Amino acid sequence: MFRPLEFFIGLRYTRAKRRNHFISFISLVSILGIAVGVTALITVISVMNGFDRELKDRILGMVAHATVEGVDESVRDWPQALARAERNPHVLGAAPYVEREAMLQGQRVSGAIVRGVLPEYEPHVSEIDRKMVVGKLDDLSAGSFNIILGRELAMKLGVSVGDHATLITPEVSTSPMGVQPRFKRFTVSGIFEVGMQEYDGALAVVHMKDAQTLYRLDGPSGIRLRLDDMFRAWSVARELSGQLGQAYRVSDWMQGHSNFFKAIAMEKKVMFLILSLIVAVAAFNLVSTLVMLVTDKQADIAILRTLGQSPRSIMGVFMVQGVLVGTLGIALGVLFGVLLAANLPEIVRWIEQAFGVSFLSADVYYISEVPSQLEWSDVSWITLTAFLFCIIATLYPAWRAARIEPAAALRYE
């Protein structure tokens, strides 16, 4: 449809000065509307990508990609199991662990998840050593009965580094004094902060040997894995459990947090649809622009038809013009959207400093800065969507121009 003649005439109409300045104004509004809509869509989707990345980093910084856990028994010969796991080409790191529930008592009482780890192996599967606020992960040693607490858990208990906290297990011991719960006094040697309530407020970390002693286990509960591709977690863990030679329970990071990440993905899709309507409204401003232009160019259309140009060719002329106007708006929107999304954290930081405001207060939110992650696949989809809206918006005015009869158009000229 778009032969050189149609493109030439459409481009000439786009560049020509208007006798009716209102048409030029409407065209400018259409361009700016599309540009603003595309800019907003790119920026919002990039911010949602940034929040998704931040939350994944925080959650997966503490959660292993996959876990192979013994069923009602400890992992037998765990050094050999660990070596076998590390031979898998997709496994970047592996570490044994013990995980049980307990009650912690300091100045106050709170429930907690107690995780027993080996400090030399744990950095292979989590980032807890990089999340330490006070103390070091290496402060945990076998027989020291030191404990590392999440920051909010320490606040709940009313303890700090150097204080003591009593760990009470759900299991009981039988003695001449009767049935009593097992408990042990630990020394708080460190505090970590991940930025997630699930861990900062409920996780306590001890040495794996101390956890085995307290819970009377003869080995670790299981093996935690970090992989080169977290989406292979289930298949790799299943393959490994079949090689280890005893009954294992396999789980991956998606099982505990799948609903959370699905909610973020759904929210991103909904925001894309909602903001696409803004782009659609701006694109359909082209309809009014082209309808007014067709009315203004009736005499030109009649002359072109008289010279032998077909209705299909006339339709192509006005589609070219609408697409050119839309493309200009999309190009401006992509330019400003990419620049804004790429520099949004710095821009927000400057606004906060200049006007003394705080968009995400560190006292309220775990993420205190507005994150942004620009993904070119999203930019491509946004550009394609906006371009399709522009093409659809040009169809009716172009079809109306193609139906103009030369005699009727020239009757009053």
Side-chain angles (χ1 to χ4, degrees):
M1 184 181 290
F2 299 140
R3 292 173 295 179
L5 176 62
E6 288 80 5
F7 184 81
F8 173 77
I9 297 174
L11 182 62
R12 184 177 179 84
Y13 277 172
T14 304
R15 296 169 56 190
K17 292 183 178 180
R18 309 282 188 219
R19 289 174 295 178
N20 187 342
H21 295 290
F22 187 66
I23 299 178
S24 299
F25 175 74
I26 294 297
S27 298
L28 179 61
V29 169
S30 300
I31 292 172
L32 293 178
I34 294 171
V36 170
V38 171
T39 300
L41 190 50
I42 291 175
T43 304
V44 170
I45 295 300
S46 297
V47 169
M48 298 203 69
N49 288 336
F51 275 109
D52 184 52
R53 179 199 62 201
E54 286 289 325
L55 292 171
K56 278 185 178 178
D57 288 344
R58 290 168 186 255
I59 290 175
L60 296 180
M62 295 297 294
V63 176
H65 292 165
T67 300
V68 180
E69 183 181 5
V71 178
D72 299 327
E73 62 177 331
S74 302
V75 176
R76 297 192 297 265
D77 195 8
W78 68 264
Q80 182 181 355
L82 210 66
R84 184 183 293 273
E86 290 175 339
R87 285 198 293 269
N88 189 296
H90 298 294
V91 175
L92 300 179
Y97 77 100
V98 170
E99 191 165 287
R100 292 289 189 273
E101 296 179 347
M103 185 75 72
L104 283 172
Q105 181 179 11
Q107 295 183 19
R108 293 178 290 274
V109 178
S110 177
I113 299 296
V114 177
R115 180 180 295 169
V117 303
L118 293 178
E120 62 271 27
Y121 286 99
E122 187 62 17
H124 298 167
V125 296
S126 76
E127 298 179 355
I128 190 171
D129 57 321
R130 286 182 258 173
K131 305 296 183 181
M132 297 296 297
V133 177
V134 183
K136 299 177 297 183
L137 184 63
D138 292 337
D139 292 337
L140 300 179
S141 58
S144 66
F145 290 98
N146 288 336
I147 189 170
I148 296 174
L149 304 176
R151 185 171 183 176
E152 289 201 14
L153 179 58
M155 292 174 63
K156 288 180 188 177
L157 298 173
V159 297
S160 59
V161 172
D163 294 338
H164 297 285
T166 302
L167 193 154
I168 306 169
T169 71
E171 292 85 1
V172 295
S173 299
T174 303
S175 68
M177 302 295 294
V179 177
Q180 295 180 340
R182 291 203 300 271
F183 60 90
K184 179 65 181 178
R185 197 181 190 196
F186 282 77
T187 302
V188 179
S189 63
I191 293 175
F192 66 86
E193 183 176 22
V194 179
M196 293 293 293
Q197 172 68 25
E198 181 179 354
Y199 305 111
D200 291 343
L203 182 63
V205 181
V206 301
H207 195 278
M208 191 178 78
K209 295 294 184 183
D210 293 345
Q212 289 178 215
T213 301
L214 184 64
Y215 288 98
R216 297 182 179 177
L217 302 173
D218 57 1
S221 304
I223 296 173
R224 303 164 71 219
L225 307 173
R226 180 167 289 271
L227 311 176
D228 57 355
D229 182 0
M230 62 184 181
F231 295 104
R232 291 179 176 266
W234 179 260
S235 60
V236 172
R238 291 283 294 178
E239 178 185 348
L240 182 60
S241 67
Q243 297 172 353
L244 295 181
Q246 71 178 80
Y248 287 98
R249 183 185 299 111
V250 175
S251 62
D252 64 359
W253 66 275
M254 285 290 288
Q255 287 180 310
H257 303 89
S258 60
N259 291 336
F260 185 73
F261 289 115
K262 285 178 182 177
I264 294 178
M266 179 61 70
E267 189 174 340
K268 180 180 174 182
K269 292 176 183 177
V270 171
M271 290 300 296
F272 182 87
L273 291 175
I274 292 173
L275 293 175
S276 293
L277 295 178
I278 298 176
V279 179
V281 169
F284 282 105
N285 279 336
L286 290 173
V287 175
S288 57
T289 303
L290 292 177
V291 167
M292 294 178 67
L293 183 64
V294 168
T295 303
D296 188 57
K297 297 293 185 182
Q298 285 195 31
D300 293 4
I301 295 170
I303 293 171
L304 289 172
R305 289 291 308 279
T306 303
L307 292 174
Q309 197 164 2
S310 67
R312 184 181 179 86
S313 181
I314 295 294
M315 188 174 179
V317 168
F318 287 93
M319 285 191 69
V320 164
Q321 186 174 5
V323 168
L324 288 174
V325 171
T327 300
L328 179 58
I330 293 170
L332 290 174
V334 169
L335 175 63
F336 290 124
V338 168
L339 290 175
L340 183 58
N343 299 282
L344 188 62
E346 291 76 15
I347 294 172
V348 171
R349 198 177 301 117
W350 178 83
I351 293 174
E352 290 178 337
Q353 293 174 354
F355 296 97
V357 297
S358 180
F359 293 103
L360 295 174
S361 174
D363 298 333
V364 180
Y365 302 100
Y366 287 117
I367 300 176
S368 57
E369 293 187 355
V370 177
S372 178
Q373 181 179 0
L374 181 67
E375 293 186 2
W376 290 106
S377 59
D378 291 331
V379 175
S380 301
W381 275 110
I382 292 168
T383 302
L384 178 61
T385 301
F387 187 73
L388 290 175
F389 282 146
C390 291
I391 292 178
I392 294 171
T394 63
L395 291 177
Y396 172 72
W399 174 78
R400 183 173 173 178
R403 287 174 57 85
I404 293 177
E405 296 294 335
L410 295 173
R411 181 176 300 167
Y412 300 105
E413 294 292 331

